[in-house]
Amino acid sequence: MFTAPKGTYDLLPPASEEFLAVRAALVAPARLAGYGYIETPIFEDTALFARGVGESTDVVSKEMYTFDDKGGRSLTLRPEGTAGVMRAVLEHHLYAGPLPVKLWAAGPNFRYERPQAGRFRHFTQVDIEAIGLDDPTLDAEVVALADGGFRAAGLSGFRLLLTSLGDATCRPAYRKLLQEYLRDVDLDEDTRRRVELNPLRVLDDKRPQVQAQLTEAPLMAEHLCADCAAHYDVVRERLAGLGVRWAEAPRLVRGLDYYTRTTFEFVHDGLGAQSAIGGGGRYDGLSTLLGGPDLPGVGWALGVDRVLLARRAEGVPAVESTRCAVFAVPLGEVATARLSAVVGALRRAGLAADMAYGGRGLKGAMKSADRSGATYAVVLGERDLAAGVAQVKDLRTGEQQAVDLDSLVTTLQEMLQ
Ligand code: HAM
C-alpha cells in the first residue's frame, strides 16, 4: 500500500472544511483592503529562487525540490511565494499602473525540511504583497492585515515580533561590525563559515552555549541610518494608531535574504518549537536583484497548516460543514428515478440535498439520512408512488407527513424557509 510522502498529509473531510474556511478568513481583511488575486505557477526557474531568496539561505542551499524537466530546464517547486509574484509583476509590467500593486495569493509551497509537529515538506501559505512604494504607512497596513487575518481565523493567543533590518546604506556597515564581534567568539567551524557568509543568521543560533556568547552582540536596530530609523518610527506610530500591539524583536532573523527595513513574525504560544504562524517584511532590493526597476515592496505569508494547529491549541470550535437539508430515500427503480430528479431540482434551488445510492433498503438508507445531519428525509416507496405522494419525515422530531409528489420541491423549499 502506498502512503502519502514523508512530511505531507491528506486533508480529509470534515477537517478540510476548516482548512477552506481558515484560508478564506486569513485573507478576508486583505481583500477588503484592495488586494487582487494572483496565481503563479507552482514551479519556476531554479535561478529565480537562487537569486531572489538567496544562495546562502537554508531554503535555497538545502531545502529546494529541484529537478530538470524533459527539455533540460532546471525547475524548482516554489519554496515561497514572493519571488514568483515579483517575477509576474515584472514580466507583466504591473508596476506601470497605479501604485502600490496590491496582490494576494494562496497555495502550496515545498521545502525539504525535517518534518515535525507543524513543519511539513508540503505546506500552504496565504500571501499578500504590496509593490511599488516605500511608504511606511503601507508597512503598517500590511502588518495590521495579518493581525486582522489571524483574528478573523479565530485566533487570539499570538504575538507580533517587529524589528527593522536596515537597508543598503546601513546594513553593510552593521554586518561588518557583527562579523568583527563574532570572529572573537568561540564557535565551531560550521558556524565560523556562517559568520563569513550570513552573520545575521548566527544571532538566530538556538544552542545555549552560542547564545550565551551573543548577549553583547551589536544589533541592527541600534545601527540604523537616519532614513531607516525615521521609516521605522512612522511604522510604529501607524501601528499604534491601528490598534496593533507588538514587541520589539531586535534579534529577529528571517530565513530569506531579501528583507530590508520593517521585518516581522507572528508567533503562537500554543505550538511548541514551530511557533511562527506568519512572517514577512519589506524587500526593497528584490526587484533589482531579479533584473527589474527599483521597485520597493512589502508583504507577508501566513501558514495555514499552523493556524489550524493553533486553533486546536486554543480550543476554537471546529467549523461545521455545510449541513444537508434534505436526504432522499428511494425504494426501487422508479422511485430512484423520481427522487434523483427531485434532488437535482433542490440543489438548483440552492439547497443542500443528498440521496441514498446503491439500491439500499429502508433501514440502511435511513441510517445514512440520520448521519447526513439532514433536517428532512424524503421516503418514496411503491405504495407512495401509486398514491402520488412522498413521505417527508422531520428528522428532529420524528414527525412524518405525506406530501404531493408533483409539488414536492416547492413544498420542501417552503418547509425549509
Ligand atoms: P516564511 O517565514 O518563510 O516567509 O513563511 C511564512 C510562514 O509559512 C511561516 O511563518 C509558517 O507559518 C509557514 N511555514 C513556513 N515553512 C513551513 C513548513 N515547513 N511547514 C509548515 N508551515 C511553514 C515566507 O515564505 C515569505 N515569502 C513571506 C513574505 C511575503 N515576505 C514578504 N512577502
Side-chain angles (χ1 to χ4, degrees):
M1 281 289 283
F2 290 108
T3 55
K6 190 172 173 185
T8 72
Y9 65 97
D10 299 310
L11 261 173
L12 307 170
S16 49
E17 287 291 335
E18 187 138 357
F19 174 90
L20 291 176
V22 163
R23 195 179 59 180
L26 288 171
V27 289
R31 297 183 69 184
L32 291 178
Y35 288 73
Y37 181 63
I38 182 170
E39 195 164 317
T40 60
I42 284 177
F43 53 78
E44 297 268 4
D45 274 350
T46 301
L48 173 71
F49 300 117
R51 208 170 317 151
V53 174
E55 303 262 18
S56 71
T57 60
D58 281 356
V59 169
V60 169
S61 64
K62 300 182 189 158
E63 297 171 0
M64 296 212 298
Y65 282 89
T66 297
F67 60 97
D68 285 342
D69 74 2
K70 292 192 196 312
R73 301 169 194 86
S74 179
L75 299 172
T76 293
L77 300 185
R78 65 177 177 217
E80 62 96 52
T82 311
V85 169
M86 184 58 99
R87 195 262 314 131
V89 166
L90 297 177
E91 182 174 337
H92 304 289
H93 299 98
L94 298 188
Y95 53 86
L99 299 177
V101 181
K102 288 180 166 187
L103 299 166
W104 75 271
N109 292 273
F110 307 85
R111 295 183 193 175
Y112 189 78
E113 294 193 86
R114 197 166 49 78
Q116 63 181 92
R119 187 159 73 190
F120 307 103
R121 290 179 173 170
H122 170 291
F123 58 96
T124 300
Q125 289 182 339
V126 299
D127 188 285
I128 72 167
E129 312 293 352
I131 293 171
L133 293 178
D134 65 0
D135 184 344
T137 304
L138 189 57
D139 301 36
E141 166 177 296
V142 164
V143 173
L145 290 174
D147 182 84
F150 289 130
R151 286 179 205 286
L155 297 184
S156 54
F158 59 88
R159 292 176 290 128
L160 164 59
L161 307 178
L162 184 71
T163 195
S164 172
L165 287 182
D167 66 3
T169 309
C170 50
R171 182 113 54 92
Y174 164 71
R175 190 175 184 271
K176 225 173 183 179
L177 202 70
L178 180 63
Q179 273 175 328
E180 276 160 21
Y181 176 89
L182 292 173
R183 283 184 195 126
D184 287 340
V185 169
D186 178 25
L187 298 167
D188 58 276
E189 204 164 306
D190 257 8
T191 315
R192 291 201 160 281
R193 214 168 303 130
R194 191 168 301 154
V195 169
E196 302 311 318
L197 267 172
N198 200 343
L200 269 80
R201 289 230 51 125
V202 179
L203 289 180
D204 195 34
D205 200 307
K206 298 285 182 292
R207 292 169 297 182
Q209 73 272 23
V210 176
Q211 275 306 324
Q213 302 184 78
L214 299 179
T215 49
E216 304 287 310
L219 298 173
M220 184 70 243
E222 294 157 1
H223 294 87
L224 295 176
C225 60
D227 282 353
C228 285
H231 182 98
Y232 193 41
D233 282 345
V234 179
V235 173
R236 289 182 288 194
E237 211 179 293
R238 297 287 183 272
L239 278 178
L242 283 160
V244 174
R245 294 169 59 161
W246 71 93
E248 293 294 332
R251 287 166 179 271
L252 178 67
V253 177
R254 305 267 300 128
L256 314 160
D257 269 358
Y258 47 61
Y259 290 110
T260 53
R261 294 193 164 174
T262 315
T263 306
F264 55 90
E265 214 155 77
F266 285 84
V267 292
H268 194 281
D269 294 322
L271 287 188
Q274 302 307 313
S275 62
I277 52 173
R282 223 168 227 294
Y283 45 86
D284 292 347
L286 180 59
S287 172
T288 47
L289 259 182
L290 300 180
D294 185 11
L295 274 182
V298 57
W300 47 242
L302 315 184
V304 180
D305 315 79
R306 288 189 193 165
V307 170
L308 288 166
L309 296 172
R311 279 169 59 93
R312 227 165 290 156
E314 279 193 35
V316 180
V319 170
E320 277 204 29
S321 5
T322 313
R323 264 177 76 120
C324 188
V326 177
F327 195 95
V329 176
L331 303 171
E333 259 312 297
V334 184
T336 299
R338 196 69 196 250
L339 285 189
S340 156
V342 166
V343 164
L346 287 169
R347 289 177 185 159
R348 281 196 297 280
L351 291 171
D354 199 0
M355 69 185 281
Y357 290 103
R360 302 177 62 191
L362 182 63
K363 211 169 142 207
M366 285 309 284
K367 230 185 240 169
S368 299
D370 278 331
R371 219 173 285 145
S372 76
T375 312
Y376 295 108
V378 175
V379 183
L380 188 58
E382 270 170 34
R383 224 178 307 151
D384 300 314
L385 270 170
V389 296
Q391 303 298 327
V392 175
K393 184 175 179 186
D394 187 324
L395 293 171
R396 298 161 301 186
T397 62
E399 272 169 40
Q400 190 167 310
Q401 54 174 304
V403 172
D404 187 30
L405 249 185
D406 290 332
S407 55
L408 182 56
V409 172
T410 43
T411 309
L412 282 166
Q413 275 181 282
E414 281 160 20
M415 289 168 78
L416 283 158
Q417 259 171 14

